[in-house]
């Protein structure tokens, strides 16, 4: 973050890079192409852009912005990405890691929709592990420690070689807003942006704002406060905030977050910490990669250590010097500062992970030690922890407070309901985390492109993806604290697994959204058909228990079962692997060996997914029933209580499904709304994974 | 905790999905123009059953079953082992419990194969004897047939709607119907949950939520955070205990509190309006103490009575007024609680307090009603002490308060002189009769059967936790999730946020 200074570009002379037609290979590359020549910005007068009409402008170059810009370009939109510094595109502002439990699912899903972060993680990862390995494949959490430099390099090279995508260095002063298109719902329409310094206007049909913590951001260290969203970067223009609040009338709230100090690696005695090794066989995030860029033996370890009573003492003594902590802005319960942790759970020892920042980096990232006290006290605090007794701080930790737009004002396409063509993604919607930002960015970017190209926007259901859960939670419930993904938020966790994200999303991404390349699409079809064939082959193995005992003598098959069992039944046994079945029946199964693990998972989860199926179908039907956005709930001539009318008016649910999930909406109220729903045309088949029958929607 | 969402969660669902519009239909296209008559593909594979006849004085009760497993129910309860009976023909059979093969009753059975049935699905009707014991036994036996569960409010109607078996006007009334039925169920559930049974369910629910929160915490956070292994061991013990307790409860029929049947009629109103006098008049004995001192009745006085053949549970409550007396305040709280649970409230008003002008009297009564009743519950207005009014005013009130909009039926009576009592009894009788005609009102057997089904599902789900505990924690957790949802259908819906709240209260999560 702050320590990574990039002073190369000059904000006062906006410049832009325009690269096109560099065909992006989706496979993990052996080498990144000519990075340095790509990164020397071609300076042009911004006046060249003034008359230019873009389809989509993306503001911000973080996780949300990069995925949004790349997705918009993939869908086919002429896209402009505007960021303060080209060199910080793809910067990991906080922790040097990607994925985890719940978050790993998001990375897999972004990858399944041809997003960047999965492949970037495979390129930049230096320590891979599958969390929850012993807890069942539905909750496996693929995770990697990243080399910050490599991650940024990958994202930059990928963006700068994406066709139809232009990157411009500059600062956005305000949004251009005009009268709405009367044929669409909304009170305003966005027509582009105006840059700071020179008031150049650039027009676009849609704009995606991914301003992260920069919207009215303030930085806090000790008792010092300064405007900004990240140390080392200029604050964003107050004009943007003003447009959103005053011109567009959007409700905003304020949240806080923080980051730990970065520690000089050589000053830490790692022999006093517990060594934590990565998986010996790194598993890539991307469905397109068979291996990671980092070789297994080149991976770096992490270290685990614990806080001491001294840490708590320092926190308590310095409270009056800590204005971030004293403010009552909502911070996350699950990624709290060390101050909040020791105050809420005193007298305990808390975990601190010491993580590498990169292969060549001299720094360590102390996960769990986010803090905002004055720098000299930060030093005192970390020295209370045994391995850091003589540690030096490279960059102190700090807190950030920032505005977010209450996300219930968004549609499930992440478009601001009141403003045609304006999309929001990332922390501006009240979320926290790279993966949450990337997921929203991809979806907002794809929809912004579809909007600009006059194609209908698309939605993801919470029954088919974690991205759908994330967006549905945001737009139908709103946030009261920074929102982070957990597997416990997904009702259909056993169906939404990291292993099947490609089956769930890639076909839809190609056929309905247009954000997936045909290379990836073809690959997903190959995988789907192979898995289907393999499961059919397994079901065709239909033997008596005694025959199975002969074939697989090592497996304890209950004698009492006199019925016939299929290969699929057998694969559900704990002790049976696909490899065992394949060696018993090589002629019918050996060709599917590459899918051995996926087949085992499919077999074990199939009965549970079948149970989920009915509920999933019900919810999907409700989600296909959209409620008009301009409906006047107070004047509807049906028997609804005033309370229900108020809730509906405030939230304006997009679908009947979203209305049902609102607190305080009665079943009778939902039935009364039936008269007003519009059934969305459903062209595709309900995604059912290998259940033999495919259920077609009966909505005409 | 109001179990509204839970009791009726999922009721209206399938009602919605047959609404179709053609491509590009205008947003406000009305249902009437979009509903086609073709039988829709049925979404619910579940087979549902319910008592379809009313309560009270009935010789024959009708239990309806609808859904794909209807034939199974017919086979295993009416002894049709070889082939099913001819469609739409009444046959006299022994009706047996499929678990014990004990004969429960002899009655008529009718088989209606799809689509020619009320709901458009395969259905069966059992016409059995109307005693509560027989009805309960048959409903519980149906609950034990695989694939069958008690119907939620409005579900039969909804399926009929879905199959295009309802006319347009009936469809328009669907929302109101479901509202009425869920309200009835809500009151029924409230009555049950305020007792010992309610405390038992609530305790299970709290323990289950904690189990789920701890499993979820272990899944979502244990890799990065300090969550000791001991957490799961404690969950194991809890789940085992809960499963055993629920199974024991299901086996021991006596443990369930005996639920009082009948229409719950509550007398409420201001102090000294003559509520206790009315109770005593109705039960024809001095069940409650009557005195001219305001605030004589402090607790709820309950009497069961037979009103023209219909079972009624009549409760007299403390007069509603602000009081500094602790005992009286508790009495008022209980009174309001009773009104909330009532099927029918008799709001008693002292006629002498009425303004003499009719318009102002109506406004006074409207205002008074809104202070006594939580919302638009069913009620009758009883203007007592009519003997204290001059004859002329009495006649004017009696004539002109009838049919004033925003007021329920008004009865002018005097408990002192018995004037107007006969007319009042006629009105009360017809209200009770209407209530009894609806199978959902005052039907504890049905609620019991529903509870039973949810508890069985809950116990089975806890067994899934045990089965997968060591091999796949995600699947084990799925068991606890299903258990929480099943129990939540009795005690109130549990959302993901509630589980997260427990997690963050019990663990320090922060990486």
């Amino acid at each position: 973050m702050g320590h990574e200074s990039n002073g190369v570009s000059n904000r006062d002379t906006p410049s832009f890079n325009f690269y096109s037609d560099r065909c992006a290979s989706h496979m993990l590359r052996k080498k990144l192409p000519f990075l340095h020549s790509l990164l020397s910005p071609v300076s042009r007068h911004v006046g060249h852009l003034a008359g230019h009409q873009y389809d989509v402008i993306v503001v911000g170059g973080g996780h949300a912005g990069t995925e949004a810009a790349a997705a918009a370009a993939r869908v086919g939109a002429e896209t402009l990405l505007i960021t303060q510094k080209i060199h910080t595109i793809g910067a990991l502002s906080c922790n040097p890691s990607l994925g985890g439990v719940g978050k790993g699912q998001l990375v897999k899903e972004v990858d399944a929709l041809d997003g960047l972060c999965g492949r970037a993680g495979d390129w930049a990862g230096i320590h891979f592990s599958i969390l929850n390995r012993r807890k069942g494949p539905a909750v496996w959490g693929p995770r990697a420690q990243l080399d910050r430099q490599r991650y940024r390099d990958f994202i930059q090279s990928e963006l700068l070689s994406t066709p139809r995508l232009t990157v411009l260095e500059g600062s956005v002063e305000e949004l251009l807003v005009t009268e709405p298109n009367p044929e669409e719902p909304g009170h305003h329409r966005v027509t582009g942006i105006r840059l700071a310094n020179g008031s150049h206007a650039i027009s676009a049909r849609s704009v995606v704002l991914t301003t992260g913590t920069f919207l009215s951001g303030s930085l806090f260290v000790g008792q010092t406060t300064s405007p900004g969203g990240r140390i080392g970067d200029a604050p964003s223009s107050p004009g943007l905030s003003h447009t959103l609040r005053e011109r567009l009338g959007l409700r905003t709230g304020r949240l806080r977050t923080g980051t730990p100090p970065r520690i000089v690696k050589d000053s830490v005695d790692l022999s006093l910490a517990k060594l934590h090794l990565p998986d010996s066989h790194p598993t890539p995030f991307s469905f397109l990669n068979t291996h990671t860029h980092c070789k297994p033996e080149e991976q770096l370890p992490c270290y685990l250590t614990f806080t001491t009573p001294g840490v708590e003492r320092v926190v308590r003594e310095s409270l009056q010097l800590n204005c971030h902590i004293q403010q009552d802005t909502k911070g996350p319960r699950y990624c709290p500062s060390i101050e909040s942790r020791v105050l809420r759970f005193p007298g305990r020892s808390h975990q601190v992970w010491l993580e590498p920042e990169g292969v060549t980096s001299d720094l360590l990232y102390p996960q769990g030690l986010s803090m905002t006290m004055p720098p000299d006290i930060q030093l005192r605090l970390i020295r209370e922890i045994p391995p850091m007794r003589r540690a030096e701080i490279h960059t102190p930790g700090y807190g950030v407070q920032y505005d977010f737009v209450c996300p219930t004002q968004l549609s499930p396409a992440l478009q601001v309901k009141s403003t045609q063509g304006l999309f929001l993604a990332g922390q501006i919607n009240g979320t926290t985390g790279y993966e949450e930002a990337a997921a929203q960015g991809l979806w907002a970017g794809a929809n912004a492109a579809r909007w600009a190209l006059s194609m209908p926007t698309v939605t993801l259901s919470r029954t088919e993806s974690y991205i759908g859960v994330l967006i549905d939670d945001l737009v139908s419930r709103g946030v009261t604290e920074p929102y982070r993904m957990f597997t416990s938020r997904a009702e259909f966790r056993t169906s939404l697994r990291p292993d099947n994200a490609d089956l769930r999303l890639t076909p839809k991404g190609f056929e309905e959204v247009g954000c997936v390349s045909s290379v990836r699409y073809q690959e997903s079809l190959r995988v789907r058909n192979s898995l289907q064939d393999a499961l059919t082959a397994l079901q065709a193995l239909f033997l008596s228990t005694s025959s199975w005992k002969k074939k697989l003598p090592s497996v304890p098959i209950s004698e009492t079962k006199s019925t016939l069992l299929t290969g699929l039944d057998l694969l559900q046994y704990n002790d049976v692997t696909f490899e065992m079945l394949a060696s018993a029946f090589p002629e019918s199964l050996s060709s599917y060996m590459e899918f051995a693990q996926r087949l085992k998972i499919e077999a074990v989860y199939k009965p549970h997914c079948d149970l989920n199926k009915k509920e999933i179908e019900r919810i999907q039907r409700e989600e296909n029933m959209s409620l008009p956005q301009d409906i006047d709930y107070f004047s509807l001539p049906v028997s609804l209580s005033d309370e229900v009318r108020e809730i509906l008016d405030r939230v304006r649910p997009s679908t009947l499904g979203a209305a049902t999930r609102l607190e305080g909406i009665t079943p009778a109220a939902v039935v009364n709304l039936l008269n007003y729903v519009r059934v969305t045309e459903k062209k595709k088949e309900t995604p059912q994974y290998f259940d033999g029958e495919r259920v077609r929607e009966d909505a005409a | 905790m109001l179990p509204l969402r839970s009791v009726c969660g999922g009721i209206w669902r399938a009602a919605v999905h047959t609404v179709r519009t053609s491509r590009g239909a205008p947003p406000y296209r009305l249902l009437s123009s979009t509903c086609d008559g073709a039988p829709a593909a049925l979404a619910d594979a579940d087979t549902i059953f319910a008592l379809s006849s009313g309560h009270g004085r009935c010789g024959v009760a009708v239990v309806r079953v609808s859904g794909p497993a209807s034939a199974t129910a017919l086979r295993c309860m009416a002894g049709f082992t070889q082939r099913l009976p001819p469609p739409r023909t009444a046959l006299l059979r022994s009706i047996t419990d499929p678990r014990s093969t004990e004969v429960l009753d002899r009655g008529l059975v009718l088989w209606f194969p799809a689509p020619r049935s009320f709901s458009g699905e395969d259905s069966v009707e059992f016409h059995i004897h109307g005693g509560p014991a027989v009805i309960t036994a048959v409903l519980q036996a149906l609950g034990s047939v695989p694939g069958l569960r008690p119907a939620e409010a409005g579900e039969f109607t909804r399926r009929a709607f879905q199959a295009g078996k309802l006319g347009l006007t009936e469809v328009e009334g669907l929302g109101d119907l479901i509202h009425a039925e869920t309200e009835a169920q809500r009151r029924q559930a409230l009555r049950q949950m305020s007792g010992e049974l309610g405390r038992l369910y609530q305790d299970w629910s709290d323990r289950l939520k904690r189990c789920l929160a701890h499993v979820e915490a272990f899944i979502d956070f244990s890799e990065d955070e300090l969550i000791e292994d001991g957490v799961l061991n404690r969950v194991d013990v809890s789940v085992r205990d809960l499963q055993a307790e629920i199974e024991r409860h299901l086996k021991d029929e006596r443990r369930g509190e005996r639920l009082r049947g009948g229409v719950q009629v509550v007398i409420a109103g201001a102090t000294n309006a003559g509520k206790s006098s009315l109770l005593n008049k109705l039960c024809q004995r001095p069940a409650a103490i009557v005195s001219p001192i305001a605030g004589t009745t402090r607790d709820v006085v309950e009497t069961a009575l037979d009103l023209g053949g219909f079972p009624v549970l009549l409760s007299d409550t403390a007069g509603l007024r602000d009081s500094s007396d602790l005992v009286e305040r508790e009495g008022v709280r209980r009174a309001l609680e009773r009104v909330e649970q009532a099927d029918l409230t008799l709001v008693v008003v002292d006629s002498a307090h009425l303004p003499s002008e009719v318009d102002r009297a109506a406004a006074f009564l409207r205002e008074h009603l809104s202070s006594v009743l939580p919302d638009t519950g069913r009620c009758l207005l009883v203007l007592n002490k009519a003997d204290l009014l001059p004859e002329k005013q009495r006649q004017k009130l009696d004539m002109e308060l009838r049919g004033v909009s925003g007021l329920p039926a008004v009865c002018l009576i005097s408990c002192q002189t018995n004037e107007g009592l006969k007319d009042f009894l006629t009105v009360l009788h017809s209200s009770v009769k209407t209530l009894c005609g609806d199978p959902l009102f005052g039907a504890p057997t049905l609620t019991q059967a529903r509870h039973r089904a949810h508890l069985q599902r809950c116990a089975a789900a806890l067994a899934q936790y045990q089965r997968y505990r060591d091999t796949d924690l995600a699947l084990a957790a799925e068991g606890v999730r299903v258990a929480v949802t099943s129990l939540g259908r009795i005690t109130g819906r549990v959302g993901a946020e509630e589980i997260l709240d427990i997690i963050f209260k019990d663990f320090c999560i922060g990486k």
Side-chain angles (χ1 to χ4, degrees), chain B residues 363-485:
Chain B
F364 173 87
L365 289 173
R366 263 194 292 271
E367 163 123 21
H368 184 71
L369 274 182
S370 69
S371 70
V372 174
L373 293 174
D375 45 48
T376 53
R378 281 173 191 253
C379 70
L380 298 181
L381 256 175
V382 182
L383 309 183
N384 192 20
K385 306 190 189 177
D387 54 302
L388 299 181
L389 295 181
E391 176 64 24
K392 221 173 167 186
Q393 195 193 344
R394 203 156 60 198
Q395 280 175 1
K396 208 170 96 185
L397 280 177
D398 201 21
M399 291 295 292
E400 297 184 21
L401 279 179
R402 287 172 205 266
V404 172
S405 76
L407 282 187
V410 178
C411 300
L412 203 59
I413 64 159
S414 164
C415 291
Q416 198 69 42
T417 64
N418 288 347
E419 180 192 339
L421 261 185
K422 204 169 159 231
D423 288 347
F424 166 65
L425 278 174
T426 312
V427 174
L428 181 61
H429 181 251
S430 91
S431 301
V432 167
K433 193 175 162 186
T434 314
L435 287 169
C436 280
D438 184 331
L440 277 159
F441 278 94
T445 45
L446 197 65
T447 315
Q448 272 173 339
R450 180 177 301 109
H451 284 189
R452 213 178 163 75
H454 294 318
L455 289 176
Q456 273 161 349
R457 203 167 276 195
C458 180
L462 290 177
Q464 176 177 333
Y465 173 85
Q466 320 261 29
R467 189 161 86 242
Y468 286 105
R469 162 67 173 84
D470 294 324
T471 53
D472 190 317
L473 202 58
L475 291 177
E478 192 73 8
V480 188
R481 283 178 168 202
V482 172
V484 167
T485 316

Side-chain angles (χ1 to χ4, degrees), chain B residues 260-455:
Chain B
R260 286 167 304 222
V263 178
Q264 315 269 322
V265 178
V266 172
I267 307 177
T271 49
N272 232 356
K275 298 181 294 298
S276 302
S277 302
L278 181 62
L279 176 89
N280 291 344
K281 278 286 166 215
L282 285 173
C283 57
Q284 294 171 324
R285 65 187 168 89
I289 304 166
V290 180
S291 85
I293 302 163
T296 303
T297 305
R298 296 191 156 198
D299 202 350
V300 177
V301 177
E302 246 175 29
T303 316
L305 49 116
D306 182 302
L307 196 75
F310 296 105
V312 168
L313 192 78
L314 189 65
S315 313
D316 179 25
T317 61
L320 303 172
R321 66 166 175 184
D322 287 331
S323 169
S324 55
D325 182 330
L326 274 182
V327 179
E328 192 175 350
R329 278 220 308 254
E330 174 61 18
V332 170
R333 194 193 63 76
R334 289 183 187 188
L336 291 172
E337 191 180 85
R338 270 311 158 101
V339 170
E340 170 95 349
Q341 298 170 4
D343 291 323
L344 178 68
T345 309
L346 306 179
V347 180
V348 184
V349 178
D350 184 343
S351 309
H353 293 172
L354 281 179
S356 52
E357 274 174 59
V358 171
D359 281 355
R360 285 182 48 224
F364 173 87
L365 289 173
R366 263 194 292 271
E367 163 123 21
H368 184 71
L369 274 182
S370 69
S371 70
V372 174
L373 293 174
D375 45 48
T376 53
R378 281 173 191 253
C379 70
L380 298 181
L381 256 175
V382 182
L383 309 183
N384 192 20
K385 306 190 189 177
D387 54 302
L388 299 181
L389 295 181
E391 176 64 24
K392 221 173 167 186
Q393 195 193 344
R394 203 156 60 198
Q395 280 175 1
K396 208 170 96 185
L397 280 177
D398 201 21
M399 291 295 292
E400 297 184 21
L401 279 179
R402 287 172 205 266
V404 172
S405 76
L407 282 187
V410 178
C411 300
L412 203 59
I413 64 159
S414 164
C415 291
Q416 198 69 42
T417 64
N418 288 347
E419 180 192 339
L421 261 185
K422 204 169 159 231
D423 288 347
F424 166 65
L425 278 174
T426 312
V427 174
L428 181 61
H429 181 251
S430 91
S431 301
V432 167
K433 193 175 162 186
T434 314
L435 287 169
C436 280
D438 184 331
L440 277 159
F441 278 94
T445 45
L446 197 65
T447 315
Q448 272 173 339
R450 180 177 301 109
H451 284 189
R452 213 178 163 75
H454 294 318
L455 289 176

Side-chain angles (χ1 to χ4, degrees), chain A residues 135 341 351 493 618 660, chain B residues 12-13 216 222-224 510:
Chain A
K135 294 179 201 152
R341 295 176 78 184
Q351 287 192 139
R493 183 163 65 189
R618 178 184 70 67
T660 336
Chain B
W12 48 276
R13 320 237 147 171
E216 296 285 4
S222 68
E223 293 275 345
D224 281 329

Side-chain angles (χ1 to χ4, degrees), chain B residues 195-215:
Chain B
E196 192 196 329
L197 202 57
R199 278 192 293 279
L200 181 68
Y201 291 164
Q202 200 54 55
D203 171 59
W204 285 343
S205 170
D206 291 344
R207 283 156 65 195
L208 255 183
K209 277 188 276 188
R210 184 159 230 104
C211 286
L212 180 58
H214 288 197
V215 176

Side-chain angles (χ1 to χ4, degrees), chain A residues 450 456 624 626 677-684 696 698-700, chain B residues 19-27 29 33-34:
Chain A
R450 293 181 62 84
N624 288 337
S626 52
V677 300
R678 178 168 34 178
V679 179
T680 315
E681 181 63 24
K682 186 102 176 170
K683 359 180 211 325
K684 59 144 196 175
R696 187 164 265 288
D698 63 352
Chain B
V19 183
R20 307 165 179 203
T21 56
S22 54
R23 181 193 284 268
R29 188 147 178 181
S33 59
T34 59

Side-chain angles (χ1 to χ4, degrees), chain A residues 372-533:
Chain A
T372 55
M373 54 195 67
D376 52 321
I377 301 177
Q378 293 191 16
L379 188 66
R380 257 180 63 203
L381 187 148
I382 64 158
R383 289 186 173 182
E384 293 289 341
I385 299 172
M388 294 193 274
R389 207 147 270 157
R390 274 179 285 277
E392 294 297 337
I393 288 180
H394 179 273
T395 321
Y398 61 91
V400 190
Q401 298 188 3
Y402 55 97
D403 280 356
F404 74 100
V405 174
C406 300
T408 49
Q409 300 166 101
L410 305 179
S411 76
L414 294 176
Q415 180 169 17
V416 176
K417 288 179 193 169
S418 67
T419 309
Q420 299 168 358
L422 180 61
F423 295 78
L424 308 179
Q427 277 167 306
I428 192 172
N429 292 340
T431 62
T432 172
Y434 303 156
E435 303 80 1
E436 289 82 352
Q440 292 172 70
L442 185 147
W443 205 244
N447 272 306
R450 293 181 62 84
W451 173 270
L453 303 174
S454 305
M455 296 187 280
T457 56
V458 282
T459 56
L460 273 177
S461 161
R462 63 186 299 127
T463 61
E464 63 188 337
S465 62
Y466 275 74
I467 304 180
V469 172
L470 166 71
I471 294 175
D472 185 57
D473 280 349
L474 290 179
V475 305
S476 36
R477 306 167 59 105
V479 298
T480 51
E481 61 184 329
Y483 180 101
R484 178 181 146 188
M485 183 48 71
F486 307 116
T487 68
S488 49
R489 296 191 191 273
E491 294 86 344
F492 302 105
R493 183 163 65 189
T494 48
S495 303
L496 310 184
R497 302 188 308 268
D499 63 279
N500 66 10
D502 55 343
L503 304 178
R504 291 185 277 119
L505 296 174
T506 305
K508 176 169 180 152
F510 182 82
E511 293 159 10
E512 290 179 45
V513 187
C515 65
V516 169
S517 71
S518 74
V519 176
R520 185 185 284 268
Y521 177 60
Q522 293 305 332
E523 170 64 9
S524 81
L525 293 186
R526 183 187 75 86
V527 171
R528 187 170 75 183
N529 295 337
S530 306
L531 287 172
Q532 182 75 67
D533 294 347

Side-chain angles (χ1 to χ4, degrees), chain A residues 18-33:
Chain A
F18 187 39
Y19 294 94
S20 59
D21 303 326
R22 189 182 292 275
C23 181
S25 152
H26 286 278
M27 298 297 175
L28 186 68
R29 286 171 219 147
K30 287 278 178 284
K31 224 170 158 185
L32 287 171

